[in-house]
Amino acid sequence: MTFDTDYQSGQIAFERGQYRQAVKYLLAAVAQVQPNSKIGGEVQVWLVTAFEAAGQISEAKALCQKLANHPNLETRQASKRLLYIMQAPELTRRDEWLTQIPDLSHLEGEDGKPGVNRTPTAPSPAPPRSLEEKYAPVDLSQVNTKDNNFISIALIVTMMTLIGLWVMAKG
């Protein structure tokens, strides 16, 4: 494969949550590019995030420390930010901060079988209307006309504005 193909495949795999696959593609891309170039640094930053997401924390930290001396300023800054995040202490969470989701697998479904994890059925679409129905004249007695005061006021204000502009142009 080419560098572009591996790099793009790595990004796509990462965005789809396929982190081990992303690591594979990004490692192949790094092997095909000059590591000290700007694009080489960019690929390696992606590789750090893929390592971290795949649970390979030690590899991610080691690569971050290596990238801290990269010739490209953006790569150095990105690696320092990522390393700072990875080295941050993990916060403890109290049980009362978390919401427990109950296990509903023991409940019976409509068919009497245990479990409620069925694929929901989509509502059936309305039957297509004929052209006559689509373009039939509207019965005005069925139209709500109570809220149409705004239109009347807007028309009056527009007319007054136009008359005022006409008078100013004449005078």
Side-chain angles (χ1 to χ4, degrees):
M1 286 195 187
T2 66
F3 165 76
D4 290 333
T5 306
D6 284 333
Y7 185 34
Q8 289 173 354
S9 297
Q11 289 174 319
I12 291 169
F14 182 86
E15 290 167 355
R16 289 183 178 166
Q18 301 166 338
Y19 304 121
R20 293 192 198 308
Q21 194 70 22
V23 167
K24 183 180 123 185
Y25 284 122
L26 292 169
L27 281 171
V30 167
Q32 298 175 48
V33 70
Q34 171 62 5
N36 289 333
S37 67
K38 181 178 179 180
I39 191 71
E42 185 179 312
V43 175
Q44 291 177 84
V45 169
W46 271 93
L47 182 57
V48 166
T49 57
F51 274 146
E52 199 271 332
Q56 296 173 288
I57 306 298
S58 59
E59 291 88 345
K61 286 181 182 179
L63 184 54
C64 259
Q65 290 168 343
K66 177 182 164 192
L67 292 175
N69 298 321
H70 196 274
N72 182 274
L73 176 64
E74 292 174 21
T75 301
R76 284 195 310 267
Q77 290 173 338
S79 70
K80 288 177 184 175
R81 281 192 302 267
L82 289 169
L83 188 59
Y84 179 79
I85 291 167
M86 284 187 278
Q87 291 177 337
E90 187 171 332
L91 300 176
T92 57
R93 296 182 207 127
R94 295 184 184 165
D95 287 339
E96 61 265 15
W97 293 350
L98 303 174
T99 302
Q100 297 295 325
I101 300 173
D103 180 17
L104 302 176
S105 62
H106 65 281
L107 298 178
E108 289 185 5
E110 296 170 4
D111 55 2
K113 295 180 181 175
V116 293
N117 297 331
R118 288 188 297 279
T119 313
T121 57
S124 59
R129 298 186 314 177
S130 67
L131 289 177
E132 291 84 21
E133 289 179 44
K134 283 184 181 179
Y135 299 109
V138 176
D139 181 13
L140 294 179
S141 66
Q142 301 292 323
V143 176
N144 179 8
T145 58
K146 286 184 177 181
D147 297 332
N148 290 345
N149 291 336
F150 171 77
I151 295 172
S152 303
I153 294 170
L155 286 172
I156 292 169
V157 170
T158 303
M159 291 301 291
M160 290 176 63
T161 304
L162 290 174
I163 291 170
L165 289 172
W166 180 70
V167 168
M168 287 177 58
K170 287 272 191 176

